[in-house]
């Protein structure tokens, strides 16, 4: 009986430790330095932030094919890249879902979707699901605006693209645009963090 109780205590302790490790990994906050990554693009090539020598920063967006929120924002994501890539802030899209759980998000589906929608930016697969937890992304879409500094790629904005996923014409606040515009002007971002609205990222339990 004593051995059985001891085993229960050990199992419980391990479970608590595993839970703590999982929940403590909250990802980046504004002001953190984001480490680089190397992820497969839909063209088969690996892409890293370091590849963009002339960039002043990045609009990193975790998104996917299958989430209706992401689909609703696709045209706006394309518009962000067209507006800001030439100003030094290109969009880098990352698909974080487990493709066994969401086959509609596999690399072939990503490639087809990018072609159909005319994506002007890399669409990367977080195949090992290592990058989205590092950032702390929980939704698709989830935005992280980074600025190149002497310290590295500093996180300057986290959250939603804007305040109305249903209707692009009814948007009152364009959070991501406002953040990048402030950085371009050398001003403080008025709303450096908002709540991302979207589908939960699908990961194996």
């Amino acid at each position: 009986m004593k051995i059985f109780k001891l085993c229960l205590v050990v199992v419980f302790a391990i479970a608590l430790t595993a839970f703590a490790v999982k929940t403590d990994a909250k990802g980046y906050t504004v002001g953190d330095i984001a480490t680089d990554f190397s992820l497969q693009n839909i063209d088969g090539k690996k892409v890293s932030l370091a590849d963009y020598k002339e960039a002043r920063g990045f609009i990193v967006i975790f998104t996917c094919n299958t989430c209706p929120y992401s689909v609703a924002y696709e045209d706006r994501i394309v518009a962000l890249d067209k507006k800001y890539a030439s100003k030094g802030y290109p969009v880098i899209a990352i698909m974080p879902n487990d493709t066994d759980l969401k086959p509609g998000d596999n690399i072939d589906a990503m490639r087809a979707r990018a072609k159909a929608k005319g994506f002007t930016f890399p669409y990367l697969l977080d195949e090992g699901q290592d990058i989205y937890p590092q950032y702390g992304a929980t939704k698709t879409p989830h935005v992280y605006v980074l600025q190149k500094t002497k310290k590295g790629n500093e996180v300057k904005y986290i959250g939603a693209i804007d305040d109305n996923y249903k209707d692009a014409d009814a948007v009152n606040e364009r959070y991501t645009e406002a953040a990048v515009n402030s950085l371009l002007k050398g001003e403080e971002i008025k709303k450096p963090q908002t709540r991302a609205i979207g589908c939960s990222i699908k990961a194996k339990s």
Side-chain angles (χ1 to χ4, degrees):
M1 181 62 74
K2 288 182 179 180
I3 294 176
F4 177 73
K5 288 182 178 180
L6 180 60
C7 289
L8 282 178
V9 170
V10 171
V11 169
F12 183 67
I14 292 173
L16 281 178
T17 301
F19 180 76
V21 169
K22 185 176 182 180
T23 55
D24 285 348
K26 294 180 180 179
Y28 297 133
T29 58
V30 172
D32 285 347
I33 301 301
T35 57
D36 206 347
F37 48 72
S38 180
L39 297 175
Q40 182 185 353
N41 192 13
I42 51 174
D43 63 3
K45 298 178 181 178
K46 293 282 188 176
V47 172
S48 299
L49 300 180
D51 297 333
Y52 292 77
K53 305 297 184 184
E54 304 303 318
R56 301 172 65 181
F58 304 93
I59 304 171
V60 177
I61 304 179
F62 292 88
T63 187
C64 68
N65 298 343
T66 57
C67 171
Y69 294 86
S70 292
V71 172
Y73 272 114
E74 283 174 332
D75 290 339
R76 279 173 271 184
I77 293 173
V78 171
L80 282 171
D81 189 62
K82 287 183 177 179
K83 183 173 183 178
Y84 293 111
S86 61
K87 297 178 181 180
Y89 282 84
V91 166
I92 308 291
I94 300 175
M95 203 299 293
N97 287 334
D98 183 287
T99 56
D100 288 336
L101 298 177
K102 284 289 182 178
D105 286 325
N106 66 34
I107 195 73
D108 290 331
M110 289 169 61
R111 190 177 296 113
R113 191 67 183 172
K115 183 178 180 180
K117 296 300 296 185
F119 284 2
T120 53
F121 43 84
Y123 193 16
L124 312 180
L125 176 63
D126 187 6
E127 187 171 10
Q129 295 194 298
D130 296 319
I131 303 306
Y132 88 80
Q134 180 176 312
Y135 273 70
T138 59
K139 304 290 183 182
T140 52
H142 206 147
V143 180
Y144 292 77
V145 174
L146 312 180
Q147 182 183 40
K148 279 189 179 180
T149 70
K150 291 180 180 179
K151 297 179 292 182
N153 294 311
E154 184 175 342
V155 179
K156 304 298 283 189
Y157 170 78
I158 301 172
I161 293 172
D162 56 43
D163 66 352
N164 194 325
Y165 78 90
K166 293 181 181 179
D167 187 355
D169 294 327
V171 170
N172 290 313
E173 292 191 78
R174 304 181 189 279
Y175 304 126
T176 299
E177 285 194 29
V180 178
N181 286 338
S182 293
L183 294 177
L184 290 171
K185 294 175 184 177
E187 299 174 351
E188 289 294 318
I189 297 172
K190 292 181 179 179
K191 290 187 177 180
Q193 188 152 4
T194 61
R195 186 166 68 93
I197 303 294
C199 304
S200 61
I201 293 173
K202 306 303 184 291
K204 290 178 180 177
S205 57

